Amino acid sequence: EYQPPEIVRQRGRLGALMLRYYKVCLNFFFLFFFLYNFVAFWAMLCFLCPTTVVELLEQFLQEGHLSALLWEVCQQQAQDRSLELQETLLGKIVCLPDHVGNRLQGKNPPVFFPQNYFPLLGSAIIQVLHKISDSLRGGLDCSISFVSHVLGKVCIHGRQKEILSVLVPHLTELTKSDCIWQRICWRLVECVPDRWMEAVVLGFVQRASGADVLSRLLGNLVVKNKKAQFVVTQKLLLLQYGYTTAVLQNVLGYLSLDSLRRPLLIKVLQELLETWGSSSAVKHSPAEQQQYISKAILICLSHLKEPEIDSCRQELLASMMAGVKCHLDSSLPQIRRLGMIVAESVSLKINTDGPVLKFQYEEDNETRELKSLLVQAPPRHVVPNHPDDDDDDLIPYDMSGDKELKTTKAPVYIRDCIEVLTGSDDMDKWDATIKALESLIRKNPAATREVSVELAKILLHLEEKTCIEGFAELRQRAQVAVLTTDPIPVAQYLTSQFYSLNYSLRQRMDILDVLVLAAQEMSYPKTRGKKKNSSAQKPCIQLLPGSDSSKDWRRIVDERIKSKTRRFAKVKPEQKHNSGPNEFNSVAGHFFFPLIQKFDRPLSTFDLLGEDHFVLGRLVHTLAVLMYLAVNTVTAMGKALLEFVWALRFHTDSYVRQSLLSCVSSILLGVPTEHLLEDMTEELLETQSWLADVVEKDPDGDCRRLALQNLLLMENLKKKLETVPS
């Protein structure tokens, strides 16, 4: 397209003018920044188009002028310039990505993305700190407080990760062997205002690569600044519990690395032990928080020196005795084990010359991790030297003289077994009898019924005479075999003994376990005496000593809910596993009602509503499982169980409340829907209100989850009724 030369010349002049205009604007931009007339400059930019402003700002950042701006402020701040202007400039620097994003409605250039801008700001701060270091070495005055304010405001805005990912590695390297850099770093953090101190301290604590690094970066900040001291010694250890073990090691190691900070370490240990030994805290705190506090205690103990232990030995002993009692009284195995480990560790530290506490508990990865915290880790550069064994140096053991042991035949009659178990001194025969007893009972049901109650009594009181492997399991399987062979009289005997005098808590819980396992076996008669098919989708209850059987119950409930939700589908592949008569239905009342009738009657050696709340939790759990296994024939049982739940719904122990909520699940899943609405309408409405309250207010996460699950199950049952034609 032809254009006259005059128009071409005019456009060329216009382009040159625009270029000159942009250059002038850029010069004004730098000039106003350095002279601090930032407010007037911002007003001037309002006359320009947003794109022009953003381009100028982008060029300003990419050419490294941000560090020059910060440095100019540090120099001018030493001369006590306007604080109001500094506050305005601080807000604009920290909130620049927000300002640009609001103006451009999300169409920001990449340099203004927070993940890019704040690392850039961190690099600018490092450059300014280098200039401050040079000034100090040259004897010139300058102020670091503006940089501290920038750091604090960035951290309180939630951008610790972005800016400290740049600052911490650089400062870690610079403070290794330079005392001036250490002073600069300490001053950088000390000058952060108290309102932002928590965010800064937590950021450094989480990103320091070790306690020695944290000590170089923070110095004695916790001694000089009360807010930092509160964050490190109270909030991070006692009020929060979401930090990693490495963070705990950083914090407590930091307190131990200076003589001025070590009194805080002892004070922290005493407060941790006081919380650990509080019965209220053990009952109402989540298990995760109690584990967190236990880790902190063990790390503190690893840093204590003998003179410090001597100064507070009695306080540590008193706290240990109170705490171990609270933990051993807990119904949760994890809490009891935490109490044992911490008590052992405290005892080991305070009784170096005398006997120490020793408990028996299951060793797992969590236990080994906790015990490892009691020993300070060696420096990272030290590699332990393990000698290598040469297999050729091992001398084979001479087994040529070994003889085969004689095998003792087990009795072939039930009455002979009773004689061996009650009066025989032949240990080999006793071992053979206990190993063969279950099989013999199942092969001779008629003979077993003649002596079933006597045999159940012997097995209930039977104690291990030899070191036979798996004795507890062998005895339990024999008890289950007797109960399933002659259920009514044996169940009546066992349930009556549960509330009798002179039984240990272990024996009472053994009774509950046997009742549950026998009920499960009778509910699935095809599996009796056989190993269960692992692929079959049937509830499998494993009640091992010290285990938390509530987890197995949750699996049962989840499987049952899945089967409920699949009820409307066309294909029902799981029904073939549940075919056949449920033999437990006809005898369920003999298992269930004797257990529920006497729970509120305290005995001289047994108080379910008092200190024996762990057994109460297991009892409630047992009732829930019995209810589930007698499905569709349990209207009377359901009503009685719902009244039982209602009486105990405000129990203070979380395990008992979890078991009660499991009972509600078993009622909703086991009682036919039409009977629920006909016979228990009012009770269900009250239960629904209680469940909603648990979801909102219960401190235990598992209780809230189970309550919500029950509410959803109620809603599903309601929808199911609505789909049924009247």
Side-chain angles (χ1 to χ4, degrees):
E1 181 180 355
Y2 172 76
Q3 293 180 347
E6 293 80 9
I7 296 179
V8 175
R9 285 194 295 270
Q10 289 176 2
R11 289 186 175 178
R13 287 195 296 269
L14 181 61
L17 286 173
M18 289 296 294
L19 180 59
R20 185 179 304 172
Y21 172 74
Y22 286 143
K23 289 183 178 179
V24 170
C25 288
L26 186 60
N27 290 333
F28 268 105
F29 185 86
F30 296 154
L31 177 63
F32 275 101
F33 257 98
F34 286 115
L35 295 179
Y36 276 29
N37 290 324
F38 192 84
V39 177
F41 175 70
W42 198 265
M44 182 198 71
L45 289 180
C46 294
F47 292 99
L48 302 176
C49 65
T51 305
T52 304
V53 175
V54 170
E55 290 175 354
L56 292 173
L57 288 173
E58 186 174 5
Q59 185 178 354
F60 176 79
L61 295 176
Q62 291 176 344
E63 292 183 0
H65 296 295
L66 187 56
S67 62
L69 170 62
L70 295 174
W71 172 239
E72 182 69 19
V73 178
C74 291
Q75 289 179 304
Q76 298 295 334
Q77 200 173 26
Q79 303 173 16
D80 195 17
R81 289 296 183 95
S82 171
L83 294 178
E84 183 178 353
L85 193 57
Q86 291 177 17
E87 285 295 322
T88 303
L89 186 60
L90 175 64
K92 297 302 180 183
I93 290 175
V94 175
C95 301
L96 184 60
D98 297 330
H99 290 316
V100 175
N102 292 338
R103 184 65 174 169
L104 298 183
Q105 297 298 314
K107 299 178 181 179
N108 305 24
V111 72
F112 296 107
F113 292 167
Q115 62 268 31
N116 297 329
Y117 175 77
F118 289 107
L120 187 67
L121 181 57
S123 299
I125 290 176
I126 290 294
Q127 295 175 28
V128 173
L129 294 179
H130 274 285
K131 293 181 180 180
I132 292 175
S133 174
D134 294 338
S135 295
L136 292 176
R137 296 174 199 274
L140 299 177
D141 290 337
C142 61
S143 174
I144 200 174
S145 62
F146 184 75
V147 179
S148 300
H149 285 209
V150 171
L151 174 61
K153 197 172 182 68
V154 170
C155 289
I156 201 65
H157 280 211
R159 295 298 175 180
Q160 299 106 315
K161 180 180 179 181
E162 288 84 356
I163 195 167
L164 292 181
S165 63
V166 174
L167 285 179
V168 170
H170 280 85
L171 294 176
T172 299
E173 190 65 28
L174 291 168
T175 56
K176 274 186 178 179
S177 57
D178 194 321
C179 61
I180 293 181
W181 267 107
Q182 289 183 8
R183 288 176 55 200
I184 291 173
C185 190
W186 299 346
R187 191 63 180 163
L188 173 68
V189 185
E190 289 170 8
C191 289
V192 173
D194 282 352
R195 63 185 183 276
W196 300 331
M197 183 62 74
E198 179 180 345
V200 174
V201 170
L202 291 178
F204 273 91
V205 163
Q206 293 180 78
R207 283 159 186 83
S209 57
D212 56 335
V213 173
L214 190 63
S215 183
R216 295 204 310 266
L217 297 180
L218 299 184
N220 284 329
L221 178 68
V222 292
V223 179
K224 299 176 181 179
N225 187 285
K226 292 297 182 182
K227 182 60 178 286
Q229 185 179 124
F230 171 76
V231 171
V232 170
T233 63
Q234 297 289 320
K235 193 163 188 178
L236 195 147
L237 297 174
L238 296 171
L239 303 180
Q240 299 174 339
Y241 56 93
Y243 299 103
T244 63
T245 304
V247 170
L248 285 175
Q249 290 173 323
N250 279 354
V251 170
L252 298 170
Y254 160 73
L255 294 178
S256 71
L257 288 177
D258 189 272
S259 58
L260 293 177
R261 302 194 294 261
R262 288 194 70 87
L264 292 176
L265 178 69
I266 300 173
K267 179 183 177 184
V268 162
L269 176 59
Q270 292 172 337
E271 291 176 346
L272 286 169
L273 283 172
E274 183 180 351
T275 303
W276 179 79
S278 168
S279 59
S280 177
V282 172
K283 286 182 179 179
H284 301 107
S285 300
E288 294 81 5
Q289 184 173 12
Q290 296 185 53
Q291 184 184 41
Y292 184 84
I293 290 176
S294 299
K295 288 182 178 180
I297 291 173
L298 296 175
I299 296 171
C300 283
L301 290 173
S302 72
H303 291 291
L304 282 190
K305 298 178 181 178
E306 190 62 34
E308 295 167 334
I309 296 175
D310 291 337
S311 67
C312 59
R313 191 182 302 274
Q314 295 303 320
E315 293 86 345
L316 293 178
L317 180 61
S319 299
M320 180 195 73
M321 297 305 295
V324 73
K325 182 181 184 302
C326 296
H327 283 75
L328 293 181
D329 285 344
S330 173
S331 56
L332 299 177
Q334 181 185 8
I335 304 303
R336 294 199 302 275
R337 185 169 56 181
L338 282 176
M340 296 175 191
I341 295 171
V342 174
E344 282 184 354
S345 303
V346 176
S347 174
L348 185 64
K349 278 288 184 179
I350 64 179
N351 296 323
T352 54
D353 299 329
V356 297
L357 290 177
K358 189 65 179 176
F359 297 94
Q360 291 183 348
Y361 46 82
E362 182 182 354
E363 292 276 353
D364 57 9
N365 292 334
E366 180 183 320
T367 304
R368 286 186 283 272
E369 180 193 2
L370 288 170
K371 288 186 173 182
S372 69
L373 299 177
L374 196 60
V375 181
Q376 293 187 42
R380 298 183 183 181
H381 61 275
V382 177
V383 180
N385 203 6
H386 298 292
D388 295 327
D389 292 329
D390 189 354
D391 291 343
D392 294 337
D393 294 337
L394 300 177
I395 302 174
Y397 185 76
D398 184 11
M399 302 178 64
S400 59
D402 286 3
K403 297 180 180 179
E404 185 178 357
L405 296 175
K406 295 181 180 179
T407 56
T408 303
K409 293 184 177 180
V412 294
Y413 298 106
I414 296 293
R415 293 188 181 275
D416 293 340
C417 292
I418 293 177
E419 292 179 3
V420 172
L421 294 177
T422 54
S424 176
D425 294 329
D426 188 344
M427 294 298 100
D428 293 334
K429 197 169 186 179
W430 192 91
D431 285 355
T433 301
I434 196 65
K435 290 178 180 178
L437 185 57
E438 180 200 6
S439 175
L440 197 60
I441 291 171
R442 296 190 185 279
K443 290 178 181 178
N444 301 276
T448 300
R449 292 188 186 99
E450 295 177 0
V451 293
S452 59
V453 176
E454 181 184 0
L455 186 55
K457 181 178 181 180
I458 292 171
L459 290 171
L460 181 60
H461 294 84
L462 189 65
E463 296 182 357
E464 185 176 5
K465 292 184 178 181
T466 62
C467 296
I468 182 173
E469 184 178 357
F471 167 76
E473 183 182 359
L474 290 171
R475 184 186 66 166
Q476 186 181 74
R477 286 163 55 183
Q479 288 177 293
V480 172
V482 174
L483 182 53
T484 55
T485 301
D486 198 10
I488 294 179
V490 176
Q492 290 173 343
Y493 168 75
L494 291 176
T495 53
S496 66
Q497 298 306 297
F498 179 78
Y499 288 107
S500 295
L501 292 171
N502 301 324
Y503 279 93
S504 67
L505 298 183
R506 179 71 265 174
Q507 287 175 306
R508 298 182 200 277
M509 289 190 289
D510 285 344
I511 291 173
L512 297 177
D513 292 349
V514 169
L515 291 171
V516 166
L517 292 171
Q520 180 187 358
E521 183 177 314
M522 286 188 289
S523 299
Y524 301 98
K526 287 188 176 183
T527 65
R528 178 172 299 184
K530 302 177 182 179
K531 291 184 178 180
K532 295 180 177 64
N533 185 2
S534 60
S535 63
Q537 297 184 7
K538 291 179 284 193
C540 178
I541 303 170
Q542 300 174 353
L543 299 175
L544 302 178
S547 66
D548 185 359
S549 57
S550 63
K551 296 179 181 178
D552 303 300
W553 167 249
R554 293 172 198 159
R555 184 171 65 251
I556 292 175
V557 173
D558 291 339
E559 291 175 357
R560 181 64 177 166
I561 290 176
K562 288 180 181 178
S563 67
K564 285 280 186 180
T565 57
R566 286 195 293 265
R567 186 178 295 272
F568 299 100
K570 294 182 179 180
V571 182
K572 304 178 183 179
E574 72 277 359
Q575 285 188 352
K576 62 181 181 181
H577 301 297
N578 298 332
S579 59
N582 185 336
E583 297 179 2
F584 179 62
N585 286 346
S586 60
V587 298
H590 297 283
F591 285 62
F592 181 87
F593 287 108
L595 290 178
I596 207 172
Q597 288 173 352
K598 301 179 181 179
F599 74 94
D600 56 349
R601 302 178 189 176
L603 304 174
S604 58
T605 59
F606 184 47
D607 185 7
L608 280 177
L609 298 183
E611 60 182 10
D612 297 320
H613 49 80
F614 173 60
V615 185
L616 175 62
R618 292 290 293 272
L619 170 64
V620 178
H621 169 68
T622 299
L623 294 172
V625 178
L626 295 177
M627 180 81 195
Y628 166 79
L629 294 174
V631 63
N632 291 329
T633 61
V634 288
T635 303
M637 288 171 56
K639 193 164 186 177
L641 186 57
L642 198 57
E643 294 175 356
F644 173 79
V645 169
W646 194 252
L648 295 173
R649 67 190 185 280
F650 295 124
H651 201 281
T652 58
D653 187 80
S654 60
Y655 178 64
V656 174
R657 296 198 305 276
Q658 291 174 23
S659 300
L660 292 170
L661 292 165
S662 298
C663 286
V664 176
S665 300
S666 69
I667 294 168
L668 297 175
L669 295 170
V671 179
T673 307
E674 56 274 12
H675 293 298
L676 278 174
L677 296 181
E678 289 177 4
D679 302 332
M680 291 179 271
T681 305
E682 184 177 350
E683 291 89 342
L684 283 177
L685 291 175
E686 293 175 341
T687 302
Q688 187 175 24
S689 176
W690 167 60
L691 292 173
D693 195 54
V694 172
V695 170
E696 293 181 2
K697 300 178 182 179
D698 198 289
D700 184 77
D702 289 332
C703 289
R704 295 194 301 271
R705 186 188 65 82
L706 287 169
L708 180 59
Q709 182 174 268
N710 284 328
L711 287 174
L712 294 175
L713 192 55
M714 283 184 171
E715 188 65 24
N716 290 337
L717 293 175
K718 181 181 177 181
K719 291 180 179 178
K720 176 186 174 183
L721 280 180
E722 291 174 352
T723 60
V724 178
S726 56

